[in-house]
C-alpha cells in the first residue's frame, strides 16, 4: 500500500510549504539565558551570593563592583567546580531518576590594587561562568490515549518529515491520517542539555569620597548551549498490526539536535557606603542587556513497519535571533559583630521585560512574556564566622530563594550553601563552597489532542562544589 501511493505523496510534497525552525524560539529560551547562578566564586557562594555589601575580592565584580575598592592587595583567582544534577521525572505516572556530572573552571581573574595618595582604586579583568545548562532527564511509559504521530499532523515543522517517513499518510477520501491513532503505544525518551554562559569582565572600584565607593563593570557574554532529544514510540504489544483499522506500525525515533552560540553585552554600576568597620550598605544596577543567539538545528525521524519497511529523513538549518535582557536592581547590608559577619541582599528583576527580537517574528512569544511572566524579588542571606585560632579559619553558610518568574507555574529556586576559607600562609588562600539548589520544572513532549498531557514533570537537585585558590602577589596599603 505504501509503495502504491508514492505518486500521490510526491504531488503532495511539492505543495508543502518550506520548513520552519526546528523548535520555535520562545519564552523558555529567554528565561533560560536570563536566570543566573548564585555566584561564580567559592567565597561569595559560601554565603549564597549575599555579597553586594561586602567586597574586598574579585567576586565583587559580579555582585557590586564598588566593593572592588575595598581590596587591600592585588590578587589572582582561579576556581574549579564540580556539578552533579539529579533529575527525578514523572511521565504518565511512571517515575525515573537520572543524574549527570560536569567539571568546569568557573573563575579566572586578576585584580590590581592601584597605589593612590588618598582613597583607593582597584581594577581587574577576568572570566566568570554565570550559568551552567547541564541537565539530563529520561522518561518511559505506556500511553493509552495518543501518539506523537497525531501531533505531526498539526506541526508546521514535523509534517514534512512525518509525511516522508510514513508517520503520517494519505487515503482516498481521508487526506491525512497518523500511523498511530488514539495511542496504545509505548513511549520513552531522553533529553540532554549541556553548555554554559560565561562573561569576560572588565571592572573597577574607586573610593570617590571618604567611605563612599563607586564601581562599574562591563560584561561581554560568550557561551554555548546544546540540546538533544530522543523520543521513541514502540508497538511492543503488537496492537497496531494492520487489522481493526490500525496500520502495521512498529516503531518510531525522533532525534532533535540544537547547538546555540551565545554572545552579548551588559553592564553593572554599584555604590557601597561604609559606616565605620561595622556596617556596610550596598546597591547596584545591572543595566538591560542584549544577547545574540545563533542556532544550528537538525531533526531526524526514523520509522519502521511490521512488513520490514524502514524510512529515515532529516532536515537542518541555521537561525539567528536576539534576546533583550531585563535590568536588575539589588540592595543589601552587612553587619560585623566581633568575629561574626552577617550579610543580606535582595534583587529585583522584572522578567516580563524580556523580549525576543526581531519583535515582528516573535509577536506571540513576546505577548506571553508580558502576560505570563512577572517581577520577582530574590532574597539572599549569609554569614561568616572567623574562628579565633592561629590559622584564622573562616566558616560560612547561606540561604537564597528565587521566586517563580512565571505567574502560573512554580519555577521557584531554593538554595542552601556552606563554605570555609583557609589561609595558606601570607600570600595564598583557599576557599571551598558547597551549594544545593532545588527546583521544579516541566517539559511538554508534544501537543496532544486529549488528556493526559504528554508532560514530563521534574524535580531537580543541583549539587555544586567549588574550590577557589587566591594568590596575593603583593602587600596592601
Amino acid at each position: 500500500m505504501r509503495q502504491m501511493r508514492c505518486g500521490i505523496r510526491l504531488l503532495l510534497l511539492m505543495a508543502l510549504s518550506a520548513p520552519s525552525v526546528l523548535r520555535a524560539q520562545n519564552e523558555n529560551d529567554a528565561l533560560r539565558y536570563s536566570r543566573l547562578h548564585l555566584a561564580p566564586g567559592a567565597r561569595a557562594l559560601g554565603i549564597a551570593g549575599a555579597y553586594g555589601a561586602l567586597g574586598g575580592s574579585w567576586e565583587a565584580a559580579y555582585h557590586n563592583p564598588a566593593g572592588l575598592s575595598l581590596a587591600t592587595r592585588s590578587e589572582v583567582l582561579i576556581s574549579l567546580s564540580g556539578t552533579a544534577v539529579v533529575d527525578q521525572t514523572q511521565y504518565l505516572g511512571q517515575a525515573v531518576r537520572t543524574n549527570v556530572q560536569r567539571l568546569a573552571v568557573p573563575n579566572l581573574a586578576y585584580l590590581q590594587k592601584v597605589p593612590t595618595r588618598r582613597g583607593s582604586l582597584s581594577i581587574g579583568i577576568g572570566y566568570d561562568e554565570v550559568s551552567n545548562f547541564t541537565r539530563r532527564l529520561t522518561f518511559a511509559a505506556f500511553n493509552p490515549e495518543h501518539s506523537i504521530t497525531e501531533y505531526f499532523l498539526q506541526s508546521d515543522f514535523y509534517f514534512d518529515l512525518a509525511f516522508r517517513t510514513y508517520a503520517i499518510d494519505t487515503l482516498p477520501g481521508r487526506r491525512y491520517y497518523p500511523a498511530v491513532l488514539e495511542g496504545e503505544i509505548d513511549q520513552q525518551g531522553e533529553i540532554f542539555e549541556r553548555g554554559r554562559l560565561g562573561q569576560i569582565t572588565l571592572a573597577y572600584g574607586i573610593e570617590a569620597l571618604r567611605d563612599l565607593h563607586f564601581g562599574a563593570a562591563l560584561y561581554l557574554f560568550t557561551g554555548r548551549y546544546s540540546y538533544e532529544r530522543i523520543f521513541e514510540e514502540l508497538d511492543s504489544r503488537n496492537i497496531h498490526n494492520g487489522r481493526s483499522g490500525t496500520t502495521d506500525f512498529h516503531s518510531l525515533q525522533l532525534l532533535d539536535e540544537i547547538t546555540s552560540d551565545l554572545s552579548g553585552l551588559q553592564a553593572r554600576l554599584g555604590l557601597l557606603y561604609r559606616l565605620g568597620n561595622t556596617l556596610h550598605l550596598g546597591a547596584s544596577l545591572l543595566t538591560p542587556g542584549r544577547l545574540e543567539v545563533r542556532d544550528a538545528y537538525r531533526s531526524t525521524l526514523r520509522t519502521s513497519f511490521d512488513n520490514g519497511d524502514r524510512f529515515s529523513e532529516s532536515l537542518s538549518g541555521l537561525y539567528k535571533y536576539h534576546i533583550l535582557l531585563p535590568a536588575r536592581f539589588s540592595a543589601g547590608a552587612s553587619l560585623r559583630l566581633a568575629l561574626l559577619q552577617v550579610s543580606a541582599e535582595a534583587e529585583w528583576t522584572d522578567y516580563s521585560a524580556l523580549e525576543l527580537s526581531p519583535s515582528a517574528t516573535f509577536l506571540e512569544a513576546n505577548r506571553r512574556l508580558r502576560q505570563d511572566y512577572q517581577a520577582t524579588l530574590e532574597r539572599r542571606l549569609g554569614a561568616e564566622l572567623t574562628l579565633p585560632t592561629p590559622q584564622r579559619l573562616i566558616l560560612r553558610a547561606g540561604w537564597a530563594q528565587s521566586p517563580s518568574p512565571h505567574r502560573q507555574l512554580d519555577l521557584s529556586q531554593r538554595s542552601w550553601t556552606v563554605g570555609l576559607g583557609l589561609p595558606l600562609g601570607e600570600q595564598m588562600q583557599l576557599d571551598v563552597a558547597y551549594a544545593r539548589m532545588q527546583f521544579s520544572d516541566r517539559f511538554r513532549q508534544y501537543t496532544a489532542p486529549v488528556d493526559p498531557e504528554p508532560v514530563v514533570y521534574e524535580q531537580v537537585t543541583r549539587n555544586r562544589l567549588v574550590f577557589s585558590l587566591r594568590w596575593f602577589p603583593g602587600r596592601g596599603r
Side-chain angles (χ1 to χ4, degrees):
M1 293 293 290
R2 278 181 286 274
Q3 289 80 3
M4 292 175 62
R5 292 195 293 273
C6 286
I8 299 175
R9 294 175 65 85
L10 180 59
L11 292 175
L12 289 170
L13 284 171
M14 292 173 63
L16 292 175
S17 59
S20 59
V21 179
L22 166 62
R23 175 182 52 86
Q25 290 76 15
N26 54 39
E27 63 275 14
N28 296 323
D29 299 284
L31 183 62
R32 178 190 308 111
Y33 300 135
S34 62
R35 295 192 89 177
L36 306 178
H37 278 166
L38 281 176
R43 183 186 175 190
L45 183 62
I47 56 173
Y51 203 75
L54 289 177
S57 65
W58 169 255
E59 289 96 330
Y62 178 76
H63 297 276
N64 181 355
L68 293 174
S69 61
L70 298 180
T72 58
R73 49 186 171 173
S74 301
E75 69 175 42
V76 177
L77 173 67
I78 184 170
S79 298
L80 177 67
S81 70
T83 303
V85 184
V86 179
D87 203 317
Q88 182 76 39
T89 62
Q90 286 274 349
Y91 183 64
L92 301 180
Q94 301 299 310
V96 180
R97 180 185 175 95
T98 313
N99 61 77
V100 64
Q101 296 82 35
R102 176 180 180 267
L103 291 176
V105 178
N107 281 110
L108 182 60
Y110 174 68
L111 180 65
Q112 173 67 52
K113 176 68 175 177
V114 180
T116 58
R117 303 182 69 176
R118 63 178 62 181
S120 61
L121 171 66
S122 297
I123 59 175
I125 181 172
Y127 170 83
D128 297 306
E129 182 182 277
V130 296
S131 284
N132 176 359
F133 304 126
T134 301
R135 276 167 69 179
R136 177 174 175 261
L137 67 90
T138 58
F139 58 93
F142 180 76
N143 193 327
E145 299 296 337
H146 47 74
S147 159
I148 196 172
T149 61
E150 297 174 78
Y151 163 70
F152 291 156
L153 288 171
Q154 311 299 325
S155 171
D156 291 338
F157 178 83
Y158 292 113
F159 186 96
D160 185 33
L161 283 178
F163 196 74
R164 290 176 181 269
T165 56
Y166 292 90
I168 57 178
D169 209 340
T170 61
L171 278 177
R174 186 177 181 182
R175 188 174 182 186
Y176 304 114
Y177 68 95
V180 179
L181 185 61
E182 298 180 354
E184 296 191 286
I185 196 78
D186 285 303
Q187 296 179 331
Q188 64 182 22
E190 177 183 77
I191 298 170
F192 196 2
E193 297 176 278
R194 287 167 287 188
R196 50 96 185 126
L197 178 63
Q199 59 190 29
I200 299 171
T201 302
L202 305 171
Y204 78 94
I206 185 171
E207 187 176 11
L209 299 172
R210 182 177 178 83
D211 294 327
L212 179 63
H213 302 257
F214 172 80
L218 178 66
Y219 307 132
L220 305 175
F221 292 119
T222 178
R224 170 169 285 195
Y225 167 76
S226 67
Y227 167 94
E228 179 181 292
R229 178 179 75 152
I230 300 175
F231 183 92
E232 297 177 324
E233 291 190 341
L234 176 64
D235 183 25
S236 61
R237 308 182 188 189
N238 199 30
I239 296 173
H240 306 274
N241 51 25
R243 298 189 294 269
S244 302
T246 67
T247 70
D248 61 338
F249 175 85
H250 179 258
S251 66
L252 169 154
Q253 184 191 75
L254 175 64
L255 172 62
D256 290 331
E257 299 170 287
I258 302 173
T259 300
S260 302
D261 289 315
L262 312 170
S263 60
L265 183 69
Q266 204 164 19
R268 187 185 290 272
L269 305 173
L271 289 172
L272 190 149
Y273 183 66
R274 294 198 306 171
L275 293 171
N277 293 321
T278 303
L279 180 64
H280 291 185
L281 302 175
S284 71
L285 172 67
L286 183 66
T287 65
R290 182 181 178 90
L291 190 68
E292 182 180 273
V293 185
R294 297 178 301 280
D295 283 350
Y297 62 87
R298 181 180 179 85
S299 186
T300 303
L301 182 61
R302 300 182 179 93
T303 59
S304 67
F305 295 84
D306 291 340
N307 67 350
D309 286 349
R310 296 177 181 273
F311 304 93
S312 178
E313 293 286 344
S314 299
L315 60 84
S316 60
L318 304 173
Y319 190 76
K320 184 176 76 172
Y321 65 103
H322 296 87
I323 299 174
L324 304 182
L325 303 171
R328 298 171 182 262
F329 177 75
S330 62
S334 69
L335 179 65
R336 176 172 287 281
L337 301 172
L339 300 177
L340 177 65
Q341 184 164 263
V342 179
S343 58
E345 188 172 8
E347 184 173 74
W348 180 87
T349 308
D350 184 5
Y351 286 96
S352 67
L354 280 165
E355 184 178 341
L356 296 165
S357 177
S359 56
T361 305
F362 299 105
L363 291 175
E364 181 59 24
N366 287 332
R367 183 194 65 80
R368 288 194 297 267
L369 282 168
R370 292 189 298 270
Q371 175 180 296
D372 298 337
Y373 286 75
Q374 62 185 350
T376 65
L377 187 67
E378 182 174 348
R379 298 174 293 276
R380 299 187 280 266
L381 181 66
E384 288 186 335
L385 176 64
T386 303
L387 299 182
T389 62
Q391 294 80 15
R392 304 292 288 179
L393 183 69
I394 303 172
L395 303 181
R396 303 185 177 103
W399 167 87
Q401 183 181 42
S402 177
S404 176
H406 199 281
R407 295 181 185 273
Q408 285 82 39
L409 303 178
D410 182 11
L411 304 178
S412 60
Q413 299 176 345
R414 298 161 298 280
S415 300
W416 300 265
T417 69
V418 293
L420 61 87
L422 178 63
L424 304 175
E426 292 187 0
Q427 290 189 289
M428 296 191 73
Q429 177 165 321
L430 175 66
D431 294 296
V432 183
Y434 166 77
R436 181 182 180 88
M437 174 186 287
Q438 293 181 315
F439 60 93
S440 301
D441 208 347
R442 48 183 281 161
F443 192 96
R444 185 188 302 273
Q445 296 304 308
Y446 55 91
T447 303
V450 296
D451 288 335
E453 287 190 313
V455 175
V456 179
Y457 295 92
E458 301 175 75
Q459 293 291 332
V460 183
T461 301
R462 186 185 298 272
N463 301 289
R464 189 166 175 235
L465 184 63
V466 179
F467 297 87
S468 294
L469 184 63
R470 210 178 305 267
W471 172 53
F472 307 105
R475 295 184 179 276
R477 61 188 177 118

